[in-house]
Amino acid sequence: MKRPAWNGAPPRDGEEAKARIIDAAMRCIDRHGPGKTSLSDVASELGVIRQTVYRYFPSTEELFIAVGFAALNSFLERLVAHLAGRRDPADVVVEAMAYAIEEVPKDPYLGLFLDLGRPDAFSRGATSTRAFDACRLAFARTDVDWDELGFSGDELTELLEFLLRVLLSFANDPLPGRNGADLRAFLRRWVTPAIMAPTPAT
């Protein structure tokens, strides 16, 4: 017996349809693993045909980028909690970078593009305006007064762009053995000088 479309509960509008497709994709990733999830799996999970999924996400890559963004806010919540109590800007930058370098590949959704061998897709998502905006909000919630350090407006945007591009270089080409204290020492030596560039506001 054929199942009814959308398992008998059609979405109210396009936004709900997209949200349900993303949720279904996450369930499929949990069940099959990131490298073995297909649009057919997602369509079957929803009780629709593949063409229905394609109507909202024209390619598998676009769906997986949407899944990554759906997971981004949750990841940033964990990052902000991890950084709580740190007030030294250099310490915050180093720990934020190290945490992301160590944790992103472990996340079944954020690490999806890397697992599928599509670091270009990960790069486009991570350097998008949407990603910058999310990271700005996360940095604003740390215990560092970035405005006092001179990081406001374009300066903070440029700092975040620099940090994201360094993160992408690690994500696309991990260095074996570079983790823990060694990773943090490496980042402290080469990344933290970037926060000394702006002049503190007076």
Side-chain angles (χ1 to χ4, degrees):
M1 181 177 177
K2 184 178 179 181
R3 285 192 301 169
W6 297 97
N7 297 320
R12 293 184 299 272
D13 52 34
E15 288 305 308
E16 182 182 341
K18 288 182 178 180
R20 287 172 63 179
I21 291 170
I22 291 170
D23 287 343
M26 288 181 166
R27 292 195 299 273
C28 289
I29 290 169
D30 290 340
R31 186 180 307 125
H32 305 297
K36 296 181 179 180
T37 296
S38 68
L39 282 183
S40 294
D41 296 323
V42 176
S44 178
E45 180 78 10
L46 291 165
V48 299
I49 59 176
R50 280 185 301 173
Q51 284 74 10
T52 300
V53 179
Y54 281 125
R55 187 183 309 155
Y56 299 99
F57 296 98
S59 69
T60 305
E61 181 177 296
E62 287 192 32
L63 174 57
F64 288 154
I65 289 175
V67 169
F69 275 126
L72 179 60
N73 286 338
S74 175
F75 175 79
L76 290 175
E77 287 291 333
R78 299 196 302 272
L79 175 61
V80 170
H82 180 73
L83 297 173
R86 298 174 186 268
R87 299 183 181 280
D88 178 76
D91 185 35
V92 167
V93 167
V94 166
E95 192 55 36
M97 288 290 293
Y99 182 85
I101 290 168
E102 292 173 343
E103 296 301 318
V104 165
K106 299 176 186 177
D107 189 291
Y109 311 125
L110 292 176
L112 182 64
F113 314 117
L114 306 179
D115 291 337
L116 292 179
R118 286 202 293 268
D120 57 325
F122 183 82
S123 299
R124 287 196 298 276
T127 56
S128 68
T129 299
R130 185 176 176 184
F132 278 127
D133 289 344
C135 290
R136 283 177 67 95
L137 289 174
F139 263 57
R141 292 172 55 198
T142 65
D143 294 324
V144 174
D145 189 337
W146 298 102
D147 286 337
E148 185 179 353
L149 292 171
F151 286 101
S152 59
D154 291 342
E155 289 83 5
L156 183 57
T157 298
E158 288 181 4
L159 173 63
L160 291 173
E161 179 183 357
F162 172 72
L163 296 179
L164 283 171
R165 292 190 183 282
V166 173
L167 170 61
L168 288 172
S169 71
F170 274 90
N172 293 338
D173 187 20
L175 293 175
R178 184 84 75 185
N179 49 46
D182 183 54
L183 172 61
R184 285 157 176 79
F186 178 84
L187 293 171
R188 188 168 290 107
R189 181 176 183 182
W190 298 110
V191 174
T192 57
I195 69 171
M196 304 306 294
T199 302
T202 57

